[in-house]
Amino acid sequence: MIFIAVVIASSLIIISPSTCIPPPEDPIHCSNSTTSCTITNYIGAFPDRSTCRASGAAYPATEDELIAVVADGTRARRKMKVATRSHHSIPKLACPGGEGGLLISTKFLDRVLSVDKEAMTVTVESGVTLRQLIEAAAEAGLALPYSPYWWGLTVGGMLATGAHGSSLWARQGGAVHDYVAEMTMVSPGRAADGYVRVRRLKEGDSTEINAAKVSLGVLGAIYKVRTLITNLVVYCQHAWDLRFTTATRSCSHIIFILIILINFHF
């Protein structure tokens, strides 16, 4: 087992941080800017091998723009589905159905809005990637207690699909939605409400947040999420009384910790 651990740890050294793997291309393709569009997933094919078509695509960059897109779509009685920048999901969850639907991309809703070190929370727009979330937390000396395997996933996409991780330790579970404290969702509304409804949901205030956390994209578009994070020092404490600090560690120290973890779990 030591040999396996050393090989794995050594491979981590060989992979240089400067190694560049291009991000996946936008899954939405339109023949005329934002009209006559198709969408696919990250492998380029849905399970039924069909082509998902939509009459248009929208790329809101602010909450107000997202509200306007949803209101206009509702007023026109169009089917709408939200799409992420990579659509890293095999099922046709982002396909609105028919050819008159509207795709709403979160590609430009990609800002980290705030990090509260004292409350150990981070607030982000739904198009923020897992990598951005991890980096924003790390800059404040914090970390995620959960993590799916690929950091190109978006926060909104992870929530909508119930994505989970394989973390060594997490107090509330290994799923992303287990740590959501607040979220803002934009949904179709009645004519009296301007054809749009903005729900600002908070853990403990309403049971609606439980439905919104893993909605598969059928309840509306997630705009903003406030999620709980933790100290950088938590993972090994569940197994032993080994306490990390947020101080910078050398590569040799990190490799040593990796070898211990790998041998402990294999």
Side-chain angles (χ1 to χ4, degrees):
M1 294 302 177
I2 290 289
F3 174 75
I4 295 173
V6 171
V7 170
I8 295 175
S10 299
S11 69
L12 293 175
I13 301 173
I14 295 171
I15 300 173
S16 167
S18 62
T19 301
C20 180
I21 300 175
E25 64 179 26
D26 194 325
I28 300 174
H29 298 276
C30 301
S31 60
N32 184 20
S33 183
T34 56
T35 59
S36 301
C37 306
T38 62
I39 183 171
T40 187
N41 56 21
Y42 74 106
I43 60 176
F46 291 117
D48 62 0
R49 300 296 188 269
S50 65
T51 300
C52 176
R53 302 183 186 279
S55 63
Y59 290 83
T62 65
E63 181 179 11
D64 288 343
E65 289 181 9
L66 177 60
I67 290 171
V69 167
V70 173
D72 289 345
T74 305
R75 186 181 294 107
R77 304 182 66 83
R78 300 175 76 181
K79 293 182 178 180
M80 295 174 281
K81 281 293 185 73
V82 176
T84 64
R85 67 176 69 186
S86 61
H87 194 35
H88 197 77
S89 181
I90 294 176
K92 296 170 67 175
L93 297 178
C95 188
E99 297 191 7
L102 176 68
L103 297 166
I104 303 175
S105 174
T106 60
K107 183 176 183 178
F108 300 122
L109 295 173
D110 60 352
R111 289 175 289 273
V112 176
L113 301 175
S114 66
V115 179
D116 189 329
K117 188 172 182 178
E118 295 300 319
M120 289 195 293
T121 63
V122 58
T123 303
V124 299
E125 293 181 321
S126 64
V128 163
T129 63
L130 180 58
R131 177 175 184 171
Q132 289 176 277
L133 184 59
I134 290 172
E135 290 177 344
E139 287 177 4
L142 302 168
L144 306 184
Y146 53 83
S147 180
Y149 73 94
W150 183 52
W151 62 6
L153 303 174
T154 65
V155 172
M158 290 189 291
L159 282 181
T161 57
H164 59 84
S166 54
S167 302
L168 298 178
W169 177 63
R171 289 185 181 275
Q172 296 170 223
V176 177
H177 62 267
D178 288 329
Y179 298 87
V180 171
E182 296 179 20
M183 61 190 301
T184 299
M185 176 174 278
V186 181
S187 307
R190 301 172 299 178
D193 299 322
Y195 295 99
V196 68
R197 182 177 178 185
V198 180
R199 291 179 168 88
R200 306 192 189 277
L201 308 173
K202 186 175 182 179
E203 186 68 41
D205 287 354
S206 168
T207 57
E208 285 188 353
I209 193 170
N210 295 326
K213 283 179 180 179
V214 188
S215 63
L216 299 179
V218 300
L219 298 182
I222 298 171
Y223 165 64
K224 181 172 67 175
V225 176
R226 185 169 73 91
T227 185
L228 303 174
I229 46 183
T230 189
N231 289 318
L232 276 171
V233 235
V234 295
Y235 294 105
C236 287
Q237 293 178 357
H238 185 59
W240 334 247
D241 189 27
L242 174 61
R243 301 184 181 277
F244 291 146
T245 70
T246 56
T248 301
R249 298 289 187 171
S250 66
C251 287
S252 60
H253 178 84
I254 294 172
I255 293 169
F256 174 72
I257 294 299
L258 285 172
I259 291 172
I260 293 176
L261 292 175
I262 292 167
N263 277 280
F264 183 81
H265 287 278
F266 277 87

